[in-house]
Amino acid sequence: MAWYGKKSVDNDVVLSSRVRLARNVEGYPFGRHLTDDRARELIGKIGAILTPSGYEAVDFTGLDMIGATAYVEEHIVSPEFAGEKGPHTLFKNDKKNVYIMTCEEDHLRIQCITPGFSLDEAYAGAIEAESLLDSSLNLAFNEKLGYLTHCPTNLGTGMRASVMMFLPAITKFGKFSSIARQLSKIGLTVRGSYGEGSGSTGCLYQISNQVTLGVSEEESIEKLKNIVASIVDQERKLRDAMTNDDVWNSVADASARAYGTLTYARMLSFSEFMKLWCDVRLGIALDNARKMNGQPGGTGIPSSLSYETLDTLFIESQPAVLTLLSGGTPMSPAERDLRRADAIKRRLAVV
């Protein structure tokens, strides 16, 4: 099963949690010094360990651009991995939400992605996969520097822990820049929804640790958990400030109009969909907040429409995933817009 579309903790604010471990294998050159023959040899060794343990191998050299990009849109691989030219294989275990990229920047990028605010579960999944590999491979490690990585910024734990957050209230109140500056001062960083170099879409942001040297994995996880909990609290307080009648009426109207468009539109671009998605998700959150405060709610949106359904639509409406779900035949942007609107209508019809 995919990591998205599942009930989870704090998913009104946190869509997913992810822990990624960068590891390399002794005896093999790092980065661009790894020849294609040696890369294939290494991938073979890794596959011999993982395949008997329930992992499926996906050879990315045999994937077309649509197939590779769909994995990026599902947040399973990095854009850099999808664009690699030499031998590189993804080993995936959907039941455990563990995805291992081989021969990207490092020999191994072990990541576990879990729904909602669940960093401990994501960390446990990544460590379990690392232990399986470490039992048969000699991972490059130095007593002073920790795990040896291609990029010096990953030395030490080689770990990046992150959460994807939906922060419409913080964004609307203009608080995000201040929060981002504060995070950078304490060794955390903010990126767009697809990681480094990407922009934010639909008020979605990734918050992750930046420091990997001189700290333990557990310390980094705990620090990130505390900061994310604080941001969740700030977002909810600002949402509460939006539940007064004047603001609520405006938000409820925008949310209802957005839901109507999603339900009846004949064509939808992904950018338009994301704006509507954001309005509907915020409307549901504020409606729930008003009800908890004893205030009358109601947006005209079915109460059965869940965050899980909306987050599934977020993934399935993206161009490459949508194309694969529609049979895999390349489509023009206009054809995708037609297919996207139709798929959304069908999904909402059974809510």
Side-chain angles (χ1 to χ4, degrees), residues 73-107:
E73 292 175 351
E74 289 185 285
H75 298 267
I76 288 173
V77 305
S78 66
E80 292 77 16
F81 183 79
E84 284 284 337
K85 300 301 182 186
H88 58 302
T89 295
L90 170 72
F91 291 93
K92 63 174 187 170
N93 189 321
D94 289 325
K95 289 183 179 179
K96 294 185 176 182
N97 294 318
V98 175
Y99 305 95
I100 301 173
M101 295 177 279
T102 61
C103 300
E104 191 216 35
E105 184 176 83
D106 293 287
H107 297 154

Side-chain angles (χ1 to χ4, degrees), residues 35-168:
T35 65
D36 286 358
D37 286 344
R38 294 281 274 163
R40 281 188 281 267
E41 177 186 313
L42 180 57
I43 291 169
K45 284 186 176 181
I46 293 167
I49 299 167
L50 295 176
T51 303
S53 297
Y55 284 81
E56 176 188 349
V58 181
D59 182 0
F60 264 60
T61 58
L63 281 186
D64 60 18
M65 185 53 67
I66 291 173
T69 303
Y71 279 105
V72 177
E73 292 175 351
E74 289 185 285
H75 298 267
I76 288 173
V77 305
S78 66
E80 292 77 16
F81 183 79
E84 284 284 337
K85 300 301 182 186
H88 58 302
T89 295
L90 170 72
F91 291 93
K92 63 174 187 170
N93 189 321
D94 289 325
K95 289 183 179 179
K96 294 185 176 182
N97 294 318
V98 175
Y99 305 95
I100 301 173
M101 295 177 279
T102 61
C103 300
E104 191 216 35
E105 184 176 83
D106 293 287
H107 297 154
L108 292 160
R109 289 289 178 96
I110 305 164
Q111 64 174 4
C112 180
I113 181 168
T114 52
F117 190 12
S118 51
L119 278 168
D120 287 334
E121 290 85 348
Y123 178 57
I127 289 298
E128 180 184 355
E130 181 202 35
S131 298
L132 175 63
L133 290 162
D134 196 26
S135 65
S136 300
L137 298 172
N138 292 319
L139 299 181
F141 184 84
N142 179 277
E143 289 295 334
K144 291 184 178 180
L145 298 176
Y147 288 100
L148 302 180
T149 55
H150 177 261
C151 181
T153 58
N154 287 322
L155 285 172
T157 63
M159 185 186 77
R160 286 283 187 270
S162 66
V163 294
M164 187 188 301
M165 306 190 74
F166 176 62
L167 304 175

Side-chain angles (χ1 to χ4, degrees), residues 3-11 114-116 304 306-309:
W3 61 265
Y4 50 89
K6 301 175 184 177
K7 287 188 177 294
S8 53
V9 176
D10 293 326
N11 67 340
T114 52
S304 55
S306 65
Y307 295 126
E308 296 81 43
T309 297

Side-chain angles (χ1 to χ4, degrees), residues 253-331:
D253 180 66
S255 183
R257 289 172 183 268
Y259 179 75
T261 302
L262 290 175
T263 305
Y264 294 105
R266 179 171 170 77
M267 298 179 72
L268 279 174
S269 68
F270 182 66
S271 60
E272 182 182 7
F273 162 76
M274 284 307 298
K275 183 183 183 307
L276 299 169
W277 179 89
C278 183
D279 286 343
V280 170
R281 210 177 193 281
L282 176 59
I284 292 173
L286 292 192
D287 192 25
N288 291 337
R290 279 177 66 90
K291 290 173 181 176
M292 289 181 64
N293 294 336
Q295 300 168 285
T299 60
I301 297 173
S303 58
S304 55
L305 180 57
S306 65
Y307 295 126
E308 296 81 43
T309 297
L310 285 173
D311 296 348
T312 298
L313 282 175
F314 160 58
I315 297 295
E316 293 184 350
S317 293
Q318 296 184 67
V321 175
L322 177 68
T323 300
L324 285 186
L325 291 175
S326 301
T329 302
M331 295 182 284

